[in-house]
Amino acid sequence: MTSTASTSSSDASAEALSLETRGIEPVPDGERNGNPLQLFWVWFAANISILGLPLGATLVVFTGLNIWQALIVAVVGAAGSFAIVGVVSIAGRRGGAPSLTLSRATFSVRGNIGPTLVSLMSRLGWETVNTTTAAFVLLSLFTLIFGGSGLAKEHAVVTVVSIVIFIALTLVVSGLGHSAILVIQKWSTWIFGALNIFVAVFLVATVDWSAVTSTPAGSISAMVIGIGTIAAGTGIGWANAGADMSRYQRTSVKAGSLVLSSAAGAGIPLVLLIGLGALLSAGDNSLASASDPVAAIREILPAWMAIPYLITAFGGLLLSNHLSVYSASLTTLTLGFRIKRVYAVAVDVFVTFVGALYFMLVSDGFYGPFITFISVLAVPLTAWLGVFLADMIKRKSYDTAGIMDVSRTSRYWYTGGINWYAFGSWAVAIVVGFLFTAIVVDGDVIYTGPLSDSWIGSNGLGWVASFVVAGGLYLATGGARRTESVTQ
């Protein structure tokens, strides 16, 4: 009995360390043995970062909610938006391929290039932000241990080493692929979850409970705004990666289980962190207004807590980056690059490496504008999501040969390689979304949509308008019925 258990454990370890050689081609049914609990751990780990605290802070300081309203908003916004990630995961179970690869069936081969490119730009952008932030965390850690000013430009060698360490740790796990991510994310959840709890205990000790209990309730309108803010900052940003991990799920897995595993996996840590952030900000707006939330949280803690806190923050960023880089590599391949998946991972992390170097050693104030740029990409991303989900209403299966065929013989070629019902709905929704959008960089107004001063626009909900218009227009024009008939 002991020998059998030992052999089984060894086999599992060997599988976790094996290199995933599959790219974007659909996973054969015989190799799909995943279960929803695996996705629960994946999404839990990706959202366990202590940096979720500033989201809760914004609900109290900028939206005017009390702690109970903030918790309700966190549940609806975070768990609700990750339920959408779970719905996209259903497509991965049906077709056995990554999200943007399956999107070829909806937009066609050429029409899918636009959404795929936007998705890749967004993913690489946030990975660059993750890498830069994590490198600053490591730089702070090295400064505490060895001394120094902690300024990146004054310690160029240490800065480069910090970036390389984060990139290397990301590359190892993302490069190995699916099995490694499943194992690392599961066990890291326990390790960094414990560290987060340890840090959270000391943060709770600093809460001004009198301010918490005396904070008046905000309006229903403010709660709606808060839900949009939390959703945009959590699940919506991950929606285009939903099928990337679920493609290995058994075909017999129930759709509801996929939705629940995503919503609960991400929702549990996010609700707790957002709730804690709301508690910390009652009577103190420093966390919500901080340009560097890592430093702001560190200042709240006792001095001796700095090292365990920085390790916790670094680990959270790393766990999120593992999944993001893996997804980006699949999106890169979907664009048509004829390279192995592991090489696509290397290309993606090289881009983030260069970006982090620029932010830390060259740029003066470019970090803010860059965040604005990738935030603006939420409009075309949610427009894609609206069309993709609307298409799923009628589409129950995908022709696996068709989504890999990029020639005129593909079942999904439509008209000139573009499904104009899907692409047109996507394009119109983008225009509508930007009507409600204002782009401001460091206080300078770059663009002002004609409806940006409306309730939707002034509350940053242009992406919601884009989502609704995209899905509604696609259904109204009968696009879902037409694309379903192509698969039969």
Side-chain angles (χ1 to χ4, degrees), residues 406-420:
V406 296
S407 70
R408 295 177 181 275
T409 62
S410 173
R411 173 171 288 188
Y412 300 124
W413 185 252
Y414 296 100
T415 304
I418 300 175
N419 176 11
W420 290 103

Side-chain angles (χ1 to χ4, degrees), residues 102-153:
L102 294 172
S103 181
R104 288 174 175 172
T106 306
F107 286 84
S108 192
V109 175
R110 293 175 178 172
N112 194 50
I113 292 174
T116 304
L117 185 60
V118 169
S119 179
L120 181 61
M121 292 170 63
S122 176
R123 188 65 59 206
L124 291 176
W126 287 115
E127 287 161 19
T128 302
V129 172
N130 281 346
T131 303
T132 304
T133 306
F136 273 123
V137 170
L138 272 186
L139 186 60
S140 296
L141 188 60
F142 291 149
T143 299
L144 285 174
I145 298 173
F146 303 109
S149 65
L151 298 176
K153 293 181 181 179

Side-chain angles (χ1 to χ4, degrees), residues 218-276:
S219 64
I220 298 297
S221 175
M223 292 184 69
V224 173
I225 295 167
I227 291 171
T229 300
I230 296 301
T234 56
I236 295 302
W238 282 107
N240 55 1
D244 298 355
M245 294 301 294
S246 67
R247 63 195 181 123
Y248 281 91
Q249 293 285 299
R250 295 190 304 270
T251 55
S252 59
V253 169
K254 295 183 181 299
S257 298
L258 293 175
V259 174
L260 181 61
S261 63
S262 300
I268 291 173
L270 282 172
V271 169
L272 292 175
L273 289 167
I274 291 170
L276 179 55

Side-chain angles (χ1 to χ4, degrees), residues 41 44-45 48-50 185-203 269 272-273 276 305 308-309 311-313 315-316 319:
W41 294 118
F44 198 109
I48 205 171
S49 172
I50 201 78
Q185 300 293 88
K186 177 182 178 179
W187 292 110
S188 294
T189 295
W190 292 102
I191 296 170
F192 287 100
L195 284 172
N196 270 276
I197 292 173
F198 180 66
V199 172
V201 167
F202 288 90
L203 288 173
L272 292 175
L273 289 167
L276 179 55
M305 277 287 295
Y309 161 67
I311 292 174
T312 303
L319 293 175

Side-chain angles (χ1 to χ4, degrees), residues 277-333:
L279 286 174
L280 292 171
S281 297
D284 182 1
N285 66 0
S286 59
L287 180 57
S289 58
S291 58
D292 183 357
V294 174
I297 298 169
R298 176 184 160 187
E299 290 176 2
I300 300 174
L301 294 164
W304 65 269
M305 277 287 295
I307 291 179
Y309 161 67
L310 291 172
I311 292 174
T312 303
F314 180 84
L317 289 164
L318 186 61
L319 293 175
S320 177
N321 221 47
H322 286 161
L323 197 58
S324 187
V325 170
Y326 178 75
S327 177
S329 68
L330 298 175
T331 306
T332 300
L333 296 178

Side-chain angles (χ1 to χ4, degrees), residues 234-455:
T234 56
I236 295 302
W238 282 107
N240 55 1
D244 298 355
M245 294 301 294
S246 67
R247 63 195 181 123
Y248 281 91
Q249 293 285 299
R250 295 190 304 270
T251 55
S252 59
V253 169
K254 295 183 181 299
S257 298
L258 293 175
V259 174
L260 181 61
S261 63
S262 300
I268 291 173
L270 282 172
V271 169
L272 292 175
L273 289 167
I274 291 170
L276 179 55
L279 286 174
L280 292 171
S281 297
D284 182 1
N285 66 0
S286 59
L287 180 57
S289 58
S291 58
D292 183 357
V294 174
I297 298 169
R298 176 184 160 187
E299 290 176 2
I300 300 174
L301 294 164
W304 65 269
M305 277 287 295
I307 291 179
Y309 161 67
L310 291 172
I311 292 174
T312 303
F314 180 84
L317 289 164
L318 186 61
L319 293 175
S320 177
N321 221 47
H322 286 161
L323 197 58
S324 187
V325 170
Y326 178 75
S327 177
S329 68
L330 298 175
T331 306
T332 300
L333 296 178
T334 301
L335 277 176
F337 290 91
R338 298 181 180 278
I339 55 177
K340 293 182 178 180
R341 185 196 57 82
V342 68
Y343 297 148
V345 169
V347 170
D348 293 335
V349 296
F350 176 76
V351 172
T352 60
F353 172 74
V354 173
L357 280 179
Y358 182 79
F359 281 153
M360 301 185 76
L361 298 179
V362 179
S363 170
D364 288 318
F366 186 67
Y367 196 68
F370 192 71
I371 290 285
T372 301
F373 167 70
I374 51 182
S375 298
V376 166
L377 292 178
V379 171
L381 280 177
T382 50
W384 167 83
L385 181 61
V387 173
F388 189 79
L389 292 182
D391 185 73
M392 284 182 62
I393 294 174
K394 287 287 186 179
R395 186 187 302 281
K396 304 304 179 185
S397 63
Y398 294 85
D399 176 32
T400 55
I403 61 173
M404 294 304 296
D405 184 358
V406 296
S407 70
R408 295 177 181 275
T409 62
S410 173
R411 173 171 288 188
Y412 300 124
W413 185 252
Y414 296 100
T415 304
I418 300 175
N419 176 11
W420 290 103
Y421 294 99
F423 188 84
S425 299
W426 180 66
V428 170
I430 292 174
V431 173
V432 172
F434 280 117
L435 291 178
F436 292 97
T437 301
I439 303 174
V440 182
V441 178
D442 291 338
D444 297 325
V445 179
I446 306 301
Y447 164 79
T448 303
L451 301 177
S452 60
D453 59 350
S454 64
W455 186 87

